[in-house]
Amino acid sequence: MSMSLIRNRRQFAVGSSVAALVAALSGPAMAELTPDQLWTRWTELYAEQGVTVTEGSRSDASGKLELTEVVFTSKSDEPKFTMALPSVTLEQTGDGKVRMTSSDADLKISAKNAEGKTVEIDMDVTQKQSEVLFSGSIEALTYDVKAAEIGVVLNDVKTEGKTDAPPKGTMTFTDITATGTVDKTDGSKMAGEGQVASLAVNLEVPPNEKGDQVKVTGTMSDIKVKSDQTTPAGVDVEDMNAAVSAGLTAMVAMTTGTGDFAINAQSKDEQGNPQQVDMTSAFGALSLDGGISKEGLTYTGSVKDGTFSSTVPGLPTPVGYKLAEGGGSIKFPLLKTEGDSASPFAVTYKLAGLVIDDGVWGLFDPSKKLPRDPANVDIDVSGTVKLKEGLFSPAFLEEAKKAEAGGSDAPAAGTTPADGTTPADGTTPSDGTTPADGMTDDQEGMPAEDMPDVRTVTINKFNIDAVGAKIAATGELAAPEGGTLETPIGKIEGQLDGINKLMDTLVAMGLMPQDQVASTRMMLAMFTKPAGDDQLTTTLEFKEGGQIFANGQQLK
């Protein structure tokens, strides 16, 4: 999780820089705001976000500043990006404002993929009737953005300097408006909101030497974005752990109207026979928002009126579904836990009105024995956790990087290094036994002592309703003093409705053997008790010393 957070932060920084540049193509201003002052402040703002700005030449005369060969470069190498603009012009409008316009830009991004290989992406950023008007003062700027169209054109993608099949793609935004403020009177406060009437995406990867090719299309309407960031004075955002500790806060929220996407992929199987996969999806509305602060990371996402359909090689019918509403949220601490306290976390997940296509049902239930009512999932879990290191701290990032790469560079105890030397612990098992450290060769990841230590878990809601059966549970668990949740203390209460009827139906359909039903019912009898017509309830109690009770009966 942590590394994906870091990548997302850096990718967000890249996106924010691009957006800020777009905003730098015009703007309102109050009296005495000059192009040179504005450009100096703008480059300072970029520097604070980890981006350096260089220029080839400049001409400053009669309230007009003309710059050539302007290059924006990220200080970070992972990912690394540069954006080059042949020209940028800032000009006083005569009413106390400064207008900024620019030429189209060349954008290059370099990053490592999951295999550790360097991927280079070359794009052009185009614009039509685009400007940003600045107003206010150098310490408290206001900007207004207008653009008839902004486009991103994908020119090439290289892996380790090689291009197998150069993809071509475009991303086009139309009717863009935005407004924002940059206040430097006390630290840095940036806020903005904008709207895009429509977005269109087209991507085509031509056939490679194996004959694989992909085409992606998509549209989205009524995109609205809000953002807010406060950076205390003297804070370096390159050290996010220190920045968040010092009070940095940031939030981004986005909503959209309707959207649809389609993917067509063609390839060949092992025998050389052509295969084709077609996927389509659509939604009525989308909402995403997230933020970081001392209180932690927050993220919420939801979709309404979603549909999905896909052809699958070997299946006679497309696989598809409809969803009335779906979404989830995460709240998790970012900073190291101090003292004996623990920080709150929360996770929610919801699917409402999930309807599987009749064609899918027909593959295993042509007689319609199972109820096909919409399925629902509603999960709400919260608790507390201790962090031994902040998720942005160098120590945690290093361990996370090792875990993502498959473990530390040093050989595990009891294993033989690639050069054939004996490990430092002197053990070299060759009989298939477990190495001295208890880790098998396929066990990888972050050391247990560096993992977040979950102290309590509260199941506020755990409801599943599908194929005529329902499961509901609530409860609270806590780690014992000096222990972990492997031996929790607490209670979970649950209820199952329609389970027996479901099992009988599965037997009648030939999907579940009768002897398996018998063993399942015996197992249920150990943990549950009858409470009504095809209704079972259970109370599971976890006590000191690892004792477990089910409905008062000790199981362990």
Side-chain angles (χ1 to χ4, degrees):
M1 178 186 71
S2 62
M3 289 308 296
S4 64
L5 288 176
I6 303 312
R7 284 196 301 268
N8 288 341
R9 180 184 75 81
R10 288 173 175 166
Q11 291 166 359
F12 173 71
V14 173
S16 299
S17 300
V18 175
L21 175 65
V22 171
L25 308 178
S26 139
M30 294 181 181
E32 305 309 320
L33 186 63
T34 69
D36 183 67
Q37 289 176 324
L38 178 60
W39 182 248
T40 298
R41 173 45 52 90
W42 212 240
T43 57
E44 290 173 350
L45 292 174
Y46 273 108
E48 292 175 4
Q49 299 298 319
V51 179
T52 59
V53 183
T54 60
E55 57 192 65
S57 64
R58 64 163 53 201
S59 171
D60 189 0
S62 302
K64 185 176 183 179
L65 175 63
E66 296 180 285
L67 306 168
T68 64
E69 304 304 322
V70 178
V71 180
F72 297 77
T73 306
S74 64
K75 295 179 182 178
S76 169
D77 289 329
E78 185 57 31
K80 183 80 172 180
F81 85 88
T82 60
M83 181 168 9
L85 298 94
S87 66
V88 175
T89 301
L90 297 90
E91 185 174 11
Q92 289 180 317
T93 60
D95 56 358
K97 302 176 181 180
V98 173
R99 175 182 290 109
M100 182 185 289
T101 58
S102 77
S103 58
D104 293 346
D106 175 50
L107 176 62
K108 290 182 171 59
I109 301 175
S110 174
K112 299 284 187 182
N113 63 14
E115 299 174 350
K117 297 180 179 179
T118 300
V119 178
E120 299 170 288
I121 304 173
D122 181 16
M123 296 176 283
D124 290 332
V125 180
T126 63
Q127 51 193 330
K128 295 180 181 179
Q129 302 174 33
S130 175
E131 67 172 21
V132 186
L133 285 172
F134 290 90
S135 64
S137 66
I138 287 299
E139 294 301 321
L141 284 171
T142 296
Y143 62 84
D144 291 291
V145 182
K146 292 182 180 180
E149 180 180 293
I150 294 178
V152 179
V153 181
L154 177 62
N155 297 320
D156 197 7
V157 178
K158 295 181 179 179
T159 301
E160 293 294 315
K162 298 180 180 179
T163 301
D164 186 10
K168 297 296 180 184
T170 60
M171 183 182 297
T172 306
F173 303 84
T174 60
D175 295 335
I176 304 102
T177 59
T179 185
T181 58
V182 180
D183 191 329
K184 297 286 291 182
T185 55
D186 182 16
S188 175
K189 297 179 181 180
M190 295 184 288
E193 57 183 291
Q195 182 169 335
V196 177
S198 66
L199 164 65
V201 176
N202 287 278
L203 173 65
E204 186 170 353
V205 180
N208 59 14
E209 57 185 16
K210 297 179 181 179
D212 302 333
Q213 56 182 315
V214 179
K215 185 176 182 180
V216 180
T217 59
T219 65
M220 202 179 295
S221 66
D222 194 20
I223 304 169
K224 297 178 181 179
V225 179
K226 281 188 176 183
S227 65
D228 193 298
Q229 178 175 321
T230 298
T231 307
V235 168
D236 181 5
V237 296
E238 285 297 294
D239 185 350
M240 282 298 293
N241 192 64
V244 173
S245 298
L248 180 144
T249 63
M251 67 78 81
V252 176
M254 181 183 77
T255 61
T256 77
T258 59
D260 61 83
F261 291 88
I263 300 176
N264 172 270
Q266 300 181 40
S267 61
K268 294 182 179 181
D269 60 20
E270 295 180 355
Q271 288 73 41
N273 301 314
Q275 290 184 322
Q276 181 168 314
V277 174
D278 290 295
M279 290 187 287
T280 60
S281 65
F283 55 83
L286 180 69
S287 174
L288 299 170
D289 65 76
I292 58 173
S293 67
K294 282 184 178 181
E295 284 66 45
L297 163 78
T298 59
Y299 169 80
T300 302
S302 67
V303 63
K304 292 184 178 180
D305 301 325
T307 62
F308 175 83
S309 180
S310 175
T311 59
V312 178
L315 290 183
T317 182
V319 175
Y321 64 81
K322 295 180 181 179
L323 180 66
E325 183 179 359
S329 66
I330 295 173
K331 177 183 179 181
F332 202 82
L334 290 173
L335 300 178
K336 177 182 178 180
T337 305
E338 300 295 340
D340 296 328
S341 63
S343 303
F345 74 88
V347 178
T348 66
Y349 180 73
K350 182 178 182 180
L351 295 177
L354 176 62
V355 178
I356 306 299
D357 286 353
D358 285 340
V360 179
W361 283 108
L363 294 175
F364 59 89
D365 185 23
S367 301
K368 298 184 178 181
K369 295 182 180 295
L370 289 171
R372 300 186 180 182
D373 298 331
N376 302 284
V377 177
D378 195 356
I379 299 172
D380 183 344
V381 178
S382 58
T384 58
V385 61
K386 288 185 177 182
L387 298 185
K388 298 179 180 178
E389 295 288 347
L391 298 190
F392 286 137
S393 69
F396 188 88
L397 295 180
E398 182 62 28
E399 289 298 337
K401 186 181 296 184
K402 290 179 181 179
E404 190 172 70
S408 133
D409 294 335
T415 61
T416 303
D419 61 3
T421 60
T422 302
D425 63 356
T427 60
T428 312
S430 57
D431 56 0
T433 60
T434 302
D437 64 350
M439 295 288 288
T440 57
D441 289 343
D442 60 350
Q443 285 179 300
E444 299 174 347
M446 185 176 296
E449 62 270 17
D450 294 324
M451 293 292 290
D453 180 14
V454 179
R455 303 308 298 166
T456 64
V457 173
T458 299
I459 304 172
N460 303 300
K461 191 185 301 181
F462 186 94
N463 297 336
I464 300 177
D465 174 6
V467 291
K470 297 180 180 180
I471 299 174
T474 59
E476 294 184 21
L477 298 174
E481 188 69 29
T484 69
L485 274 181
E486 292 181 358
T487 56
I489 298 173
K491 182 170 65 175
I492 296 177
E493 295 181 304
Q495 179 173 310
L496 295 84
D497 294 276
I499 295 298
N500 286 304
K501 183 178 180 180
L502 174 59
M503 289 190 291
D504 290 339
T505 302
L506 293 175
V507 170
M509 295 170 60
L511 298 178
M512 189 175 188
Q514 184 64 54
D515 58 346
Q516 187 175 339
V517 171
S519 61
T520 301
R521 283 181 172 148
M522 289 180 60
M523 183 67 68
L524 286 173
M526 294 176 59
F527 293 94
T528 65
K529 60 183 181 180
D533 184 19
D534 200 3
Q535 184 180 84
L536 302 171
T537 61
T538 184
T539 299
L540 300 176
E541 296 177 275
F542 302 84
K543 300 186 176 183
E544 293 279 1
Q547 299 178 83
I548 301 176
F549 292 79
N551 303 310
Q553 183 71 33
Q554 187 168 1
L555 302 178
K556 179 181 177 183

